[in-house]
Amino acid sequence: MRQITGGDAFYLFSDKQNRHQHISMLYVYDQSEMSEPVRFKTILDHVQERLSASPIFRQKLVEVPLNLDYPYWINDPDFDLEYHVRHIALPKPGDWRQFCIQVSRLHSRPLDMTRPVWEMYVIEGLDNVDFLPEGSFAILLKVHHVAVDGVSGAELSIALHDTEANPTTPRKKQRWRPSPPPNPAELLSRAVANNIRATRSTVGRLTGKLSHKVREIYTGEKAETWEVEPGAFTRFSQRISPHRVWDAARFELQDFKDIKQAVPGATINDVVLTICGGAMIRYLKSKNEEPDRSLTAMVPISVRDSSEMGSAGNKVHLANTSLRTKESDPLQRLALVSHEMKHVKAMNALGAREMVEMQEDMPAPTMLLAIKALAGAWGPGRQYREQFNMVVTNVPGPQEAQYLCGAKLAMFTGMAVISDQMGVSHAVTSYNGQLVISALSCRSMMPDPAFYADCLRSTFEELKSAALKSTAGNTKKRKKS
């Protein structure tokens, strides 16, 4: 029996109607080089063999009475694999638009939180997608955010795949036994002890911060801060509906590496942020809704250390950065975003881990009250979310080919979460030389997700062209000198 942390509970307690807190990972497979197509039963057997790769597959949540403490994970005594793994097919002709619609509908549905918090859909019929051979299929894996963050989700993906089409070395299996439901009296007894411990820990941390603040006042040694102007009001700064839309834009990873060379010190993530901000401005301009302030983004930053790799749960700090979208020159905007992110990372380097640990130690009743305030449609929660115009989460994947049941993984991407007043998110993944930016939004806010994907591509081409011109110009200057 394993208890969730305060960081995990944030996503559990935030899960409400219309704003379900699950993420999805999407895998598209090419089986054109296989002698015979992969059968659903083969995939089912494969998942059965990999269940021991992560505890989340067979563990479900058990709540403490009256939410007096954080829930526990227990091995589900009624685990049913065929409930979690499902099989569907696209109608003819099986094109990209149909695929996006189907995936959006699947992602919109809430998970059954009385079972292990994941579902897998095997989707066949992708016969008319321009970048895929006929006979390709996809897998959509939905997992609640209480169980994984971006990094642990990527590790889960690796556990499901092989680096060879026909691996000869079997994976080690761990022994698994179902758990009997815990006694409510035992949970309440633990809750009392845990809340006493958590209260002491939280008070200790707050006292330390207060003494540090007093020292700043008396010595005048104020810690450096980096203020980000709140985001502009856009069509995405409203309450979301239960319906989702999704589309994705595919790029070559090498192009992002080339672009970042045009701005010394820039990173691939800086390039991604610049493209997302530029695409959103392009989209809003098409609606005659260009904002008067620069857009901002919430950027999840992992604070996992080496000892925590391979573990489930959430170890993420949510940083805020300006996307500098009032700057019209794409290369100058990249330089400004890169400068912004350097300060954001520097400011969060020392405090991010401490903030995550404080959140994990917070007593459950206190956390529940805080989340109710943050999740509210009005008041401090709304004010907090209005600081951000979008989410941009970047999860690097493996750079060598991956296989499932002999089928080659052709594309790996995902879907993040959206919330009231922050109705668009970007899941950014890289795999085997390819980078994908996937945009998720509310159907009433973004009725044309394919056009937004075009905005991402157009902004990328504009930035790439500017970077190439700059690099060529610098090369000529060096030759003359």
Side-chain angles (χ1 to χ4, degrees), residues 6 38 49 78 108 127 134 152 200 215 220 240 326 333 380 393 421 425 469:
V38 179
E49 292 176 357
D78 302 311
S108 299
D127 295 330
E134 187 174 345
S152 54
R200 286 176 177 171
R215 188 163 58 251
I240 59 175
K326 298 306 290 181
R333 190 166 68 250
T393 177
Q421 288 82 46
S425 66
K469 287 179 182 178

Side-chain angles (χ1 to χ4, degrees), residues 255 258-259 330 459-470:
D255 286 335
D258 294 340
I259 290 171
T459 306
F460 163 79
E461 292 295 342
E462 181 183 57
L463 182 58
K464 180 182 176 182
S465 177
L468 288 175
K469 287 179 182 178
S470 174

Side-chain angles (χ1 to χ4, degrees), residues 207-392:
T207 301
K209 281 190 168 293
L210 181 60
S211 63
H212 180 71
K213 203 70 179 175
V214 171
R215 188 163 58 251
E216 283 183 357
I217 294 171
Y218 278 94
T219 63
E221 297 177 358
K222 191 173 181 180
E224 185 182 358
T225 59
W226 183 256
E227 297 294 333
V228 177
E229 185 181 10
F233 182 87
T234 72
R235 61 169 48 216
F236 302 100
S237 306
Q238 304 177 61
R239 298 188 72 170
I240 59 175
S241 75
H243 308 294
R244 303 288 176 262
V245 290
W246 173 86
D247 209 323
R250 298 163 46 251
F251 308 96
E252 293 298 320
L253 180 60
Q254 185 59 49
D255 286 335
F256 282 70
K257 294 178 179 179
D258 294 340
I259 290 171
K260 76 182 182 70
Q261 296 303 320
V263 175
T267 67
I268 290 176
N269 197 50
D270 296 337
V271 178
V272 167
L273 288 167
T274 304
I275 291 171
C276 291
M280 180 56 69
I281 287 296
R282 190 181 294 264
Y283 181 84
L284 293 172
K285 279 184 177 180
S286 74
K287 313 293 185 187
N288 297 315
E289 299 173 3
E290 184 179 2
D292 57 357
R293 291 205 306 265
S294 179
L295 301 178
T296 62
M298 176 189 286
V299 183
I301 298 176
S302 175
V303 297
R304 287 175 182 269
D305 58 33
S306 58
S307 66
E308 294 165 330
M309 302 306 290
S311 62
N314 293 268
K315 295 284 183 180
V316 173
H317 172 65
L318 303 177
N320 183 16
T321 187
S322 171
L323 298 176
R324 300 291 186 169
T325 51
K326 298 306 290 181
E327 172 58 57
S328 58
D329 181 83
L331 209 56
Q332 182 61 23
R333 190 166 68 250
L334 171 58
L336 292 172
V337 168
S338 179
H339 178 73
E340 185 91 14
M341 282 303 295
K342 283 184 177 67
H343 282 277
V344 168
K345 290 174 182 176
M347 292 303 100
N348 286 291
L350 297 176
R353 177 81 189 188
E354 183 182 3
M355 290 180 68
V356 170
E357 289 175 349
M358 182 179 292
Q359 182 179 355
E360 291 181 346
D361 285 343
M362 190 178 294
T366 306
M367 172 65 80
L368 185 56
L369 289 173
I371 290 174
K372 283 183 177 180
L374 285 173
W378 306 98
R382 174 171 180 160
Q383 294 166 11
Y384 167 75
R385 293 190 300 275
E386 285 179 346
Q387 295 182 58
F388 314 99
N389 290 116
M390 63 181 72
V391 177
V392 182

